[in-house]
Amino acid sequence: MNQTVPPPATRPGHKPHRTDGDPPTRSKITGGLAALACAACCVIPLLIATGVVTAAGAAVLRNALLAVSAALTVAALGMWWLHRQRGTRAGAGTGAAGNCAGSGCGC
């Protein structure tokens, strides 16, 4: 007798973890902010030319923007790496023999 198995219950609006390798949205946003901070460094010479920022202020601003950009880039890459690790662990136990698939341990 064939019985169909109902799909697992999920919360409304819940999205399961993707394991396709795409970066998560939070990583994309953080990476975009890092690119924006990096692009802001290109505006500094214009700010100096218009007299909005002095040379000393530009040096401080440049160092701060580079530090923020580097920190956001590391955070975005870290979030993407954690996302991929979670996806790998979630898909590890889906084989026919559980976690021992292909290891020859005789489970």
Side-chain angles (χ1 to χ4, degrees):
M1 183 164 139
N2 288 338
Q3 293 180 348
T4 59
V5 177
T10 60
R11 298 180 311 236
H14 174 73
K15 294 181 183 177
H17 289 292
R18 297 178 316 193
T19 58
D20 56 1
D22 287 342
T25 303
R26 64 183 175 270
S27 182
K28 290 178 185 178
I29 291 171
T30 307
L33 289 174
L36 184 67
C38 190
C41 287
C42 298
V43 177
I44 292 176
L46 297 175
L47 294 176
I48 294 172
T50 58
V52 175
V53 178
T54 63
V60 171
L61 184 62
R62 180 188 58 118
N63 289 338
L65 285 172
L66 288 175
V68 167
S69 179
L72 286 171
T73 301
V74 168
L77 290 172
M79 284 185 272
W80 187 21
W81 180 79
L82 285 173
H83 175 76
R84 290 180 55 94
Q85 292 300 322
R86 255 188 247 129
T88 302
R89 277 184 271 152
T94 59
N99 290 333
C100 300
S103 66
C105 67
C107 298

